Amino acid sequence: MKPLPCSIDPVVFALIDNQPHVLLRKRDESSQAFPDVYALPGGLMYPHEDKDLTAAADRVLRKKTGLQSFYFEQLGALGPHIDPRGPTLVIAYMAVMALDSQTKPLDPRSKWFPVDKALKMKLPFEHNSTLKMAVERLRNKVNYSSLPAHLLGEEFTLPQLQKAYESVLGFDLDKSAFRKKMAEADFIEEVVGKRITGAAFRPAQVYRLKASTGLHHFAANLRR
Amino acid sequence: MKPLPCSIDPVVFALIDNQPHVLLRKRDESSQAFPDVYALPGGLMYPHEDKDLTAAADRVLRKKTGLQSFYFEQLGALGPHIDPRGPTLVIAYMAVMALDSQTKPLDPRSKWFPVDKALKMKLPFEHNSTLKMAVERLRNKVNYSSLPAHLLGEEFTLPQLQKAYESVLGFDLDKSAFRKKMAEADFIEEVVGKRITGAAFRPAQVYRLKASTGLHHFAANLRR
DNA sequence: ACAATAGTGTCTGTTAGACACTATGCC
DNA sequence: GGCATAGTGTCTAACAGACACTATTGT
């Protein structure tokens, strides 16, 4: 009975040009396993440094992305898989973040890949199945939760929010139905008096997430 | 950076007299931690014996329950929590099984507790939160999946299935609506020609789960 | 015939989805 | 006024929920 090291493997999603992307990172040249290969930006848990798994995931995400604000949840435990250094337990996470103009650039080894493209890549370890799991969870959860709001910045308009839902779902939604749903779901609020002007058409009202931790869940799916 | 031992903590549900029960086991007298206290029937993973986490969970469940057939799924990874033997990573599972007349009796240290009663008990380690997690998952999943069918034996009638749903949900369902839902969900099939006779009323048609692995999920909840 | 439960039919209020309409800004 | 998009109103077909009805057995 030998204890196992434990790896935190996060799948990080963001929207670029309204397309869902996932963050991959070229492994260190000096790595014993799969040097210079694109992989999930994982990291080992340090039992004496990390209070618990959530803290470990938070630390790994901050370190690997340089970003401060994101939503994340655990997908589950996998493995153990075989690493050249021995069997390793894997805890998979899904994270969702907003990229905007103020976002720090990534370190040069990291890169955003369109989700569909990443799904076709050959990734090391069991990262292909982890990625697949995360994409399924993302697509599924979008059906009945406020998750896509976390792909946008602090503030956003309803048309932007609708586009975020549509881009992850992969099909278009009816404007009227969508707005009714959002009103009823009641997880966003107007930023009173603030609208997006400047374009040659009617300005859009600005909204933000209501102060609350976690996701909001709908009673029924957006489309059956 | 020291590796961690890994404990498999399953929450096992079954129906007794149409009431949901959960399996707890008195810890060994000789145990270093919490001897003789009721706890989840967990066990350590043996990295050299268990192919992966699923195999480990399967082994632990068979060993602790003596039962062969059940549905189980991972709830997630927790911890590490502090055990007298040092920090331990925990992988929580939810399992659902059918008890019938042929079921072997439990070992004398194990006992079925009504779910509501178990929730009020003081359990060791973080077993209280694990149990709470499992109960929430169970109650939630019943809303939109075929899970309760696994609380019944190989064969069952629609009234029995409805009672299983009702007992976990905690409220009654409309017979007509329930049957329409089941027909549409299409995860059970008639055992042709087989009915339950013997009582002084119309016999009920016998059904079984269609051959398929895993759960069936509905498009909408049973009740909003 | 009757009791008791299995199984089906029907009616109605609600709602999702489609789509037409109005509103508001810049040119 | 025209154009482009934001935001609202309306109509209808489908459906969930309530409940009444029929079916089938043993006594």
Side-chain angles (χ1 to χ4, degrees):
Chain A
M1 194 211 87
K2 212 178 66 180
L4 296 165
C6 173
S7 171
I8 307 281
D9 287 6
V11 181
V12 186
F13 294 104
L15 233 42
I16 298 175
D17 294 335
N18 258 316
Q19 290 305 313
H21 283 62
V22 64
L23 184 67
L24 299 179
R25 186 170 194 281
K26 220 181 242 178
R27 293 172 61 80
D28 291 335
E29 293 178 79
S30 56
S31 176
Q32 292 176 42
F34 303 100
D36 272 330
V37 169
Y38 274 109
L40 294 177
L44 287 176
M45 178 180 185
Y46 300 143
H48 297 287
E49 186 177 320
D50 302 314
K51 184 175 109 265
D52 55 25
L53 285 170
T54 304
D58 198 68
R59 180 181 58 74
V60 169
L61 277 164
R62 282 180 206 285
K63 190 170 150 196
K64 298 280 177 172
T65 65
L67 301 175
Q68 287 300 309
S69 159
F70 41 78
Y71 167 84
F72 72 101
E73 61 179 67
Q74 194 191 96
L75 293 175
L78 299 171
H81 77 255
I82 302 308
D83 187 291
R85 293 154 292 187
T88 306
L89 205 63
V90 173
I91 319 285
Y93 281 82
M94 172 181 78
V96 158
M97 42 188 33
L99 301 182
D100 52 32
S101 49
Q102 311 160 37
T103 303
K104 276 190 277 180
L106 294 168
D107 77 284
R109 300 187 76 81
S110 297
K111 201 176 148 190
W112 292 104
F113 288 84
V115 165
D116 293 336
K117 197 171 162 188
L119 281 171
K120 287 181 202 141
M121 292 169 68
K122 187 162 165 42
L123 304 175
F125 308 113
E126 79 318 324
H127 287 189
N128 275 106
S129 65
T130 304
L131 174 62
K132 209 175 139 211
M133 231 167 105
V135 172
E136 275 166 19
R137 178 89 141 238
L138 176 72
R139 294 226 168 105
N140 188 33
K141 211 137 189 180
V142 162
N143 270 311
Y144 59 85
S145 84
S146 61
L147 212 170
H150 295 271
L151 288 163
L152 303 172
E154 287 281 300
E155 301 188 336
F156 47 82
T157 67
L158 278 178
Q160 283 170 358
L161 185 60
Q162 187 176 343
K163 284 197 187 72
Y165 272 89
E166 290 171 341
S167 68
V168 181
L169 285 169
F171 54 79
D172 288 354
L173 298 169
D174 181 82
K175 188 174 34 162
S176 176
F178 178 77
R179 296 168 88 99
K180 266 184 254 173
K181 198 97 184 176
M182 290 304 116
E184 171 195 0
D186 196 39
F187 62 83
I188 58 176
E189 61 188 0
E190 281 191 21
V191 180
V192 283
K194 189 160 181 186
R195 295 181 306 161
I196 301 291
T197 59
F201 48 81
R202 178 171 177 174
Q205 175 62 48
V206 171
Y207 288 80
R208 73 162 78 91
L209 280 172
K210 283 193 177 179
S212 81
T213 47
L215 295 184
H216 181 95
H217 291 239
F218 311 147
N221 284 356
L222 285 174
R223 197 185 264 191
R224 321 207 171 186
Chain B
M1 194 210 87
K2 211 177 65 181
L4 296 166
C6 174
S7 171
I8 307 281
D9 287 7
V11 181
V12 186
F13 294 104
L15 232 42
I16 298 175
D17 295 333
N18 259 316
Q19 290 305 313
H21 282 63
V22 64
L23 185 67
L24 299 180
R25 186 171 194 279
K26 220 181 242 180
R27 294 174 60 82
D28 291 335
E29 293 177 77
S30 56
S31 177
Q32 292 178 43
F34 303 101
D36 274 327
V37 170
Y38 275 110
L40 295 177
L44 286 177
M45 177 180 186
Y46 300 144
H48 297 287
E49 187 177 322
D50 302 314
K51 184 175 110 269
D52 55 24
L53 284 169
T54 304
D58 198 68
R59 179 181 58 74
V60 169
L61 277 165
R62 281 181 207 287
K63 190 169 151 199
K64 298 280 177 172
T65 65
L67 302 175
Q68 287 301 308
S69 160
F70 40 78
Y71 166 83
F72 73 100
E73 62 179 66
Q74 194 189 96
L75 293 174
L78 298 171
H81 77 253
I82 301 310
D83 186 293
R85 293 154 291 185
T88 305
L89 206 62
V90 173
I91 319 286
Y93 282 82
M94 172 181 77
V96 158
M97 40 187 33
L99 301 182
D100 52 32
S101 48
Q102 311 161 37
T103 303
K104 278 189 276 181
L106 294 169
D107 77 283
R109 299 187 77 80
S110 297
K111 201 176 149 191
W112 292 103
F113 288 84
V115 164
D116 292 336
K117 198 171 162 189
L119 281 170
K120 285 179 202 142
M121 292 169 68
K122 185 160 168 48
L123 304 174
F125 308 113
E126 78 317 323
H127 287 189
N128 275 106
S129 64
T130 303
L131 174 62
K132 209 175 139 210
M133 230 166 104
V135 171
E136 275 166 19
R137 179 89 141 238
L138 176 72
R139 295 226 168 105
N140 188 34
K141 210 139 188 176
V142 162
N143 271 310
Y144 59 85
S145 86
S146 60
L147 213 170
H150 296 271
L151 288 164
L152 303 173
E154 287 282 299
E155 301 187 337
F156 47 83
T157 66
L158 279 178
Q160 284 170 0
L161 185 59
Q162 186 177 343
K163 283 197 188 72
Y165 272 89
E166 290 170 342
S167 68
V168 181
L169 285 170
F171 53 80
D172 288 354
L173 298 169
D174 180 81
K175 187 172 37 160
S176 176
F178 178 77
R179 297 168 89 100
K180 268 185 252 172
K181 199 96 185 178
M182 291 303 116
E184 171 196 1
D186 195 37
F187 62 84
I188 58 176
E189 61 188 0
E190 280 191 22
V191 180
V192 283
K194 189 160 182 185
R195 295 181 306 160
I196 300 291
T197 57
F201 47 80
R202 177 170 177 173
Q205 174 62 49
V206 172
Y207 289 80
R208 73 162 78 89
L209 280 173
K210 285 194 176 178
S212 81
T213 46
L215 295 185
H216 180 95
H217 291 241
F218 311 146
N221 284 358
L222 287 174
R223 198 184 263 191
R224 322 209 170 183

